[in-house]
Amino acid sequence: MSISFNQRSDVIKLLQISSGLTSESGDPRFKQIMHKMLENICQVIDQFDVTQEEFWHAVNYLHALGGRQEAALLAAGLGLEHYLDLREDAQERAQGLEGGTPRTIEGPLYVANAPLSDRFARMDDGKDAGEIMWLHGQVKGEDGQPIAGAIVDIWHANTLGNYSFFDKSQSEFNLRRRVKTDANGRYAARSIVPSGYGCPPDGPTQALLNQLGRHGNRPAHIHFFVSAPGHKHLTTQINLNGDKYLWDDFAFATRDGLIADPVKITDSALAAQRDLPGTHTEVTFDFNLYNASASAEENRIERARALQD
Ligand code: MBD
Ligand code: FE
């Protein structure tokens, strides 16, 4: 073929019409993006001589993905959510920002409006006989001073790697809490040590990963939104050191600066001081927030999220 099929004038015209470029109405940016995406799809069809069977298989895959509500899971697994982080990192570096706690992906499993308490929260409902975790730290600003009244919104999986709300066998808001920092910028939570997550083995995301020869596992991790007036919202996670998937996360969220060492505490006086029955695992993590240069930066990005009523 001398000229690729998608360069034929009738094909060019087809895509201009189908993406609305020849219409007066509609959204100009959306039209341009759709046009580029359609053009890219046609190029892939040409380059790989995609068959009708393959094409309809792909269309039906989208139905399966939506039916299982796994589109956001696939976005994480294909590294696209991490790509957005890399772009934001580059923008921050261009603004001269450095030294703050690194961001990493939100993932698909946040639920808004978790119970809010001052300084401390117990996150687990006591039904999972996991190892007790004492999670604590301090929130600080660019000036190194503690931030009082910051909201630390925490969510993590149980010992099976499952998240409440999505896993209906768990109680409402289990392992999901918001803690407001005290006058010294400190937060603390009693919870259970989470296990790593694995994609549903019978779902469309895992099916695609299988075709790529990839696994769908994440190391044990804890998610955070950290926010405070006058400071840039932070979306991040910490990974627990020692996990076999620490540097082999299917969602590419592990970063230097976001690895916490779990510490076994056997000191019964310290346990008593924390009102814990005994031996537990301590996870310490501090956050450094950037100053917000516009009030919009104080808020997390807009995105449809699960809402428990
Ligand atoms: C998770 O727990 C998660 O954090 C991400 C990003 C994807 C799947 C499950
Ligand atoms: Fe997660």
Side-chain angles (χ1 to χ4, degrees), residues 105-110 155-157 161 163 197 218-219 221-223 237:
I105 66 169
E106 172 180 331
L109 303 174
Y110 176 75
W155 71 105
H156 67 79
Y163 285 78
Y197 168 95
R218 301 209 58 212
H221 61 279
I222 302 163
H223 296 263
Q237 309 177 27

Side-chain angles (χ1 to χ4, degrees), residues 1-6 8 45-47 49:
M1 259 191 296
S2 52
I3 150 170
S4 60
F5 202 83
N6 60 69
R8 278 171 34 158
I45 291 172
D46 285 353
Q47 189 178 341
D49 212 1

